[in-house]
Amino acid sequence: AGMRLSILDRYIGSVMLKATAMTVVVLTTLLVFFDLIDEMDDVGEGAYRMADAFMVAMLSAPRYVFEGFPVAALIGSLIGLGAMATHGELIAMRGAGFSRRQIVMAVMKAGALMMLLVFLFGEFVAPASEQWGERHRAEKLEQQVTLKTRYGFWARDGQAFVNIRTVLPGARLRDIFVYEFDAAGRLTLATHAEQAVYRGNHWQMFGIRQSQIAEAGIIGRELTEARWDSLLDPGLLSAVVIAPTMLRIDELYHYIAVMRENGQSATEYEVAFWVKLATPLGTLVMLFIAIPFVLAHERQSSLGQRVFLGVLLGMSFYLLSRGMAYVAVVFSISPALSALIPAAAFLAIGVFLMRRQH
């Protein structure tokens, strides 16, 4: 049975992976298309051209793959398993002595592989590609050259160079260095500020130490706070304040800690943290739900009905997940709870349907 089982696992797995991959491509293409329409509004501003809009939309694709994966897995497995049922393959497998449990296990093994794939994707591919797209967009729109290094964020501001070590949401900066040069390219003023906040139309710096560099030598002075009329547009910083969805799990964890230390609310980042964990889990739950639907109507239901059912269930899962994320932010419910409720609810539905099957 061991040998036969591995063949069964592989067969069911490949059928489901193919169908899911196909669904992911269709869903992502649709979402990217809507994104492109959205981006077209900005074409013509700054140096932002049609090609840029296209590139930015394409770079958002990996995030849509991640977010839409549970839905795609559900639709894909309904199509894949459904096709097997329609061709009588599931009945043949049962005839060959496979228990329903073995078939369910084969599906779940494929699910575990998908779960790993979607997790890795959400960690390494999606955040990097979206950050890249955002930065490209900001540079073209604002026409300010920026550079992100491991020593923070660098930008040119008139005759000055700015280095910001930490950028927090809500246009708050920590650990800022400003180097001002004269026309001959000599350093005249070096400023370090502990933090800066954007106030309507200017930046306010706090905890400032300045070194004025002149022929006679260096003059140092300290200020508690000062106005900083920088050309740095907070819009440009939004490319550096990485949206919660664009961070890896470890980065999110770090961000949350820093924001809590600063007495800032980190709910959005906490929600993103749990969504990153809940999405792969949701994928598994979606596959689990697909099984009773396929087994219940092995021969009767058509492909169209299955796809429709999958879209209906999948969208309700997607909307519930989205909705819960907003609820967590607005009503400050535990982010962990809000992210895991949709998966738990659908798991309960799945278990109930499985029970009814028996």
Side-chain angles (χ1 to χ4, degrees):
M3 184 58 200
R4 257 191 341 194
L5 186 65
S6 67
I7 291 173
L8 177 85
D9 286 344
R10 276 204 296 262
Y11 180 66
I12 289 185
S14 74
V15 166
M16 285 174 54
L17 279 166
K18 274 180 206 153
T20 303
M22 201 175 67
T23 316
V24 163
V25 169
V26 173
L27 271 179
T28 309
T29 307
L30 271 172
L31 290 166
V32 167
F33 179 68
F34 290 132
D35 211 36
L36 181 61
I37 293 172
D38 214 22
E39 287 299 325
M40 282 192 193
D41 290 349
D42 292 331
V43 170
E45 267 188 58
Y48 200 61
R49 301 280 170 268
M50 194 60 215
D52 299 313
F54 188 74
M55 181 174 138
V56 171
M58 288 307 285
L59 284 169
S60 65
R63 182 172 66 131
Y64 293 132
V65 170
F66 177 74
E67 288 180 353
F69 204 92
V71 181
L74 174 66
I75 299 170
S77 48
L78 282 172
I79 294 172
L81 290 172
M84 287 170 68
T86 314
H87 298 150
E89 292 178 57
L90 291 179
I91 292 172
M93 285 173 186
R94 302 279 286 282
F98 289 113
S99 67
R100 172 170 288 169
R101 208 180 127 239
Q102 282 173 307
I103 294 174
V104 171
M105 281 309 291
V107 171
M108 293 326 259
K109 279 179 196 166
L113 176 66
M114 285 191 214
M115 192 165 129
L116 182 69
L117 283 175
V118 71
F119 178 76
L120 292 174
F121 206 82
E123 276 299 275
F124 300 107
V125 186
S129 118
E130 203 180 359
Q131 280 182 40
W132 203 26
E134 271 298 302
R135 203 171 318 145
H136 180 77
R137 184 164 182 261
E139 281 176 20
K140 290 291 185 189
L141 284 173
E142 313 280 345
Q143 287 183 293
Q144 241 184 342
V145 179
T146 61
L147 177 70
K148 190 151 181 278
T149 67
R150 41 189 272 239
Y151 303 111
F153 166 79
W154 287 86
R156 183 165 179 180
D157 184 14
Q159 288 284 74
F161 287 91
V162 183
N163 171 223
I164 300 160
R165 293 295 170 95
T166 312
V167 181
L168 292 173
R172 288 172 67 125
L173 316 175
R174 297 258 312 274
D175 224 1
I176 307 127
F177 297 89
V178 183
Y179 303 103
E180 291 176 41
F181 294 86
D182 62 12
R186 284 189 296 264
L187 181 64
T188 55
L189 184 66
T191 308
H192 173 256
E194 279 164 29
Q195 50 181 323
V197 182
Y198 198 70
R199 296 257 165 91
N201 60 354
H202 70 277
W203 290 92
Q204 195 74 13
M205 277 187 165
F206 301 92
I208 305 159
R209 284 202 309 280
Q210 278 192 329
S211 306
Q212 183 99 40
I213 300 151
E215 297 289 321
I218 297 175
I219 305 154
R221 58 169 176 239
E222 296 198 9
L223 303 159
T224 35
E225 64 172 283
R227 185 184 161 115
W228 175 36
D229 286 305
S230 168
L231 306 176
L232 272 190
D233 185 323
L236 181 76
L237 288 175
S238 69
V240 202
V241 169
I242 303 162
T245 52
M246 298 189 223
L247 291 162
R248 294 196 313 271
I249 277 201
D250 55 318
E251 292 173 325
L252 275 168
Y253 190 77
H254 169 70
Y255 245 85
I256 292 165
V258 172
M259 287 173 79
R260 281 194 184 147
E261 272 170 39
N262 276 329
Q264 273 180 289
S265 155
T267 317
E268 257 183 277
Y269 288 78
E270 287 170 23
V271 170
F273 177 82
W274 287 102
V275 165
K276 274 218 190 285
L277 292 175
T279 302
L281 207 65
T283 305
L284 209 54
V285 171
M286 290 284 125
L287 295 186
F288 186 67
I289 270 195
I291 302 165
F293 278 110
V294 172
L295 294 181
H297 318 281
E298 278 188 41
R299 283 297 177 82
Q300 299 89 330
S301 63
S302 70
L303 177 70
Q305 279 171 306
R306 285 203 188 97
V307 174
F308 177 70
L309 182 83
V311 170
L312 213 63
L313 269 172
M315 287 326 287
S316 53
F317 177 77
Y318 186 73
L319 292 171
L320 181 63
S321 309
R322 282 274 106 116
M324 287 308 292
Y326 288 116
V327 165
V329 172
V330 179
F331 300 106
S332 61
I333 296 173
S334 140
L337 199 65
S338 72
L340 297 169
I341 282 175
F346 275 71
L347 182 62
I349 298 171
V351 170
F352 170 72
L353 292 170
M354 281 280 199
R355 286 270 161 83
R356 265 192 43 198
Q357 277 282 289
H358 290 298

